[in-house]
Amino acid sequence: MNSVVKGFKMKSFAEKLLEKKPLITAEFWIDEKIDQNSIQQRVKFYDERIDALNVVDNPGSNVRTSPIVVAHLLQELNLEPIVHLTCRDRNRSALESDLLGMHLLELKNVLALSGDYPTLGNRPQTKPVFDLDSVQLLGLIQKMKEEQNFLFCAGAVINLNPEQVEWQILKMNQKIKVGARFFQTQPIWKVEDFIKFKSAIRPDESGQSAIPILAGILVLKSAKMAKFINEHIPGLTIPTNIVEEMETATDQKEKGIEIATRLARDLITLAEGIYLMTMGADEKVAKILEQIKILLT
């Protein structure tokens, strides 16, 4: 990867959504010790192949630096951020205030999420808010766009649970009707689950079939991490064969990259792009992109 970050602003993320070229987004994890120096060091792993960086909002309900502040710092480094906003920690007034702040800072991309429950995080005594849900938050963003002429590009999340395909498509339709312009999925472990979901989508008045879907790929660090997710994270299930593949690997970190690369090769040809999640291990994004670069040309 280049040591100097190249420009991302020749075309905006919103403009790229209208093109047929596969999009690549990556998660920019906010850890406890993040500062301006660490941000500058970490972005060296990204180049022009990354279309946007997802800036997480108190991931796993763990208290972290504001994603708006971090996104602003990334933008000053000429990277295009997607700010995650969760309904878990804010009422509608606070969400609107944050969106006004984003507009002032010219942060245009936002991903609307409900958020993990606080008991999962490092402040389990925290009272959840959930004044709005993710659909209502998208509606608030759309209202601000219409009434105040804000240029937000709003996205949303879908979980491709093979047992809830029709329910997820219903939620997807609701989000499209209130302004979602793109979707990023929760981690996918079986390519056939994505194929099943895409085949179930039918064109309708919401324009559902035209909305880009970026397939989520989580890079596992270890078998222990996989087991923790299965035991403690609602809605996410890592198949037994993947857990066993991690357990029997000589180098579990490299095996995690290998599995993610395998999924990326398949999913980037089926989806409108991929969303790489490494939980702060930015160098893994570089390795995966090197392995699939022939598919990006």
Side-chain angles (χ1 to χ4, degrees):
M1 287 289 189
N2 296 319
S3 59
V4 178
V5 178
K6 296 183 179 180
F8 288 84
K9 294 189 176 180
M10 293 179 64
K11 290 184 180 178
S12 69
F13 181 69
E15 291 172 325
K16 291 178 180 180
L17 287 172
L18 302 175
E19 300 178 345
K20 298 298 183 181
K21 180 181 176 181
L23 292 165
I24 309 291
T25 65
E27 173 187 75
F28 195 83
W29 189 261
I30 302 177
D31 56 33
E32 292 179 287
K33 298 180 180 179
I34 197 166
D35 57 27
Q36 293 193 48
N37 182 61
S38 67
I39 290 173
Q40 290 176 341
Q41 293 301 313
R42 289 173 58 187
V43 298
K44 292 179 180 180
F45 292 104
Y46 299 98
D47 65 12
E48 71 278 3
R49 288 175 295 185
I50 296 292
D51 296 295
L53 286 176
N54 285 257
V55 187
V56 295
D57 181 12
N58 286 350
S61 291
N62 294 298
V63 177
R64 296 290 186 265
T65 301
S66 164
I68 295 174
V69 172
V70 175
H72 178 58
L73 293 173
L74 288 171
Q75 189 166 255
E76 288 188 326
L77 294 170
N78 209 24
L79 291 147
E80 184 157 11
I82 299 172
V83 178
H84 289 203
L85 279 186
T86 66
C87 301
R88 170 195 59 228
D89 305 318
R90 309 166 178 84
N91 62 20
R92 65 193 68 202
S93 295
L95 286 164
E96 186 169 354
S97 178
D98 278 346
L99 288 163
L100 287 167
M102 286 179 58
H103 172 71
L104 184 63
L105 294 171
E106 298 185 350
L107 296 168
K108 296 181 174 63
N109 307 310
V110 55
L111 193 76
L113 306 101
S114 294
D116 299 318
Y117 211 75
T119 52
L120 296 171
N122 60 358
R123 304 288 189 275
Q125 72 277 18
T126 300
K127 292 182 179 180
V129 181
F130 296 118
D131 185 23
L132 303 181
D133 61 23
S134 57
V135 176
Q136 292 168 321
L137 174 54
L138 285 165
L140 172 63
I141 295 167
Q142 184 65 21
K143 181 180 179 182
M144 295 176 76
K145 288 176 63 176
E146 294 172 356
E147 294 182 355
Q148 302 181 60
N149 200 31
F150 288 175
L151 300 176
F152 287 131
C153 176
V157 173
I158 47 177
N159 188 341
L160 307 191
N161 187 325
E163 298 177 1
Q164 299 179 349
V165 171
E166 294 302 323
W167 167 248
Q168 289 298 323
I169 289 177
L170 175 63
K171 291 286 290 184
M172 186 179 177
N173 281 335
Q174 291 175 340
K175 292 175 179 180
I176 292 170
K177 288 176 181 177
V178 291
R181 291 188 56 190
F182 67 96
F183 287 92
Q184 294 185 154
T185 79
Q186 294 283 17
I188 297 172
W189 300 104
K190 297 179 180 179
V191 175
E192 55 265 34
D193 288 346
F194 186 81
I195 294 172
K196 179 181 178 181
F197 183 85
K198 288 282 281 187
S199 65
I201 294 176
R202 299 176 181 83
D204 61 15
E205 69 281 358
S206 69
Q208 176 197 82
S209 60
I211 301 295
I213 300 176
L214 308 186
I217 300 171
L218 175 62
V219 186
L220 292 170
K221 296 179 180 179
S222 64
K224 182 179 179 181
M225 174 186 174
K227 291 177 180 178
F228 179 88
I229 290 172
N230 283 344
E231 294 171 3
H232 299 286
I233 308 299
L236 296 183
T237 302
I238 301 175
T240 302
N241 67 300
I242 296 291
V243 178
E244 292 176 347
E245 193 173 351
M246 291 295 295
E247 283 182 317
T248 57
T250 304
D251 185 330
Q252 293 192 3
K253 288 184 179 179
E254 287 301 316
K255 177 57 69 172
I257 294 172
E258 178 188 319
I259 293 170
T261 301
R262 188 169 69 216
L263 288 166
R265 284 197 185 105
D266 290 335
L267 289 168
I268 203 167
T269 64
L270 299 169
E272 284 70 45
I274 54 176
Y275 167 37
L276 298 172
M277 293 168 268
T278 64
M279 300 180 70
D282 307 275
E283 71 282 358
K284 294 181 180 179
V285 173
K287 289 183 178 182
I288 293 170
L289 291 182
E290 282 300 307
Q291 292 295 318
I292 64 169
K293 62 182 179 182
I294 193 171
L295 300 174
L296 302 177
T297 57

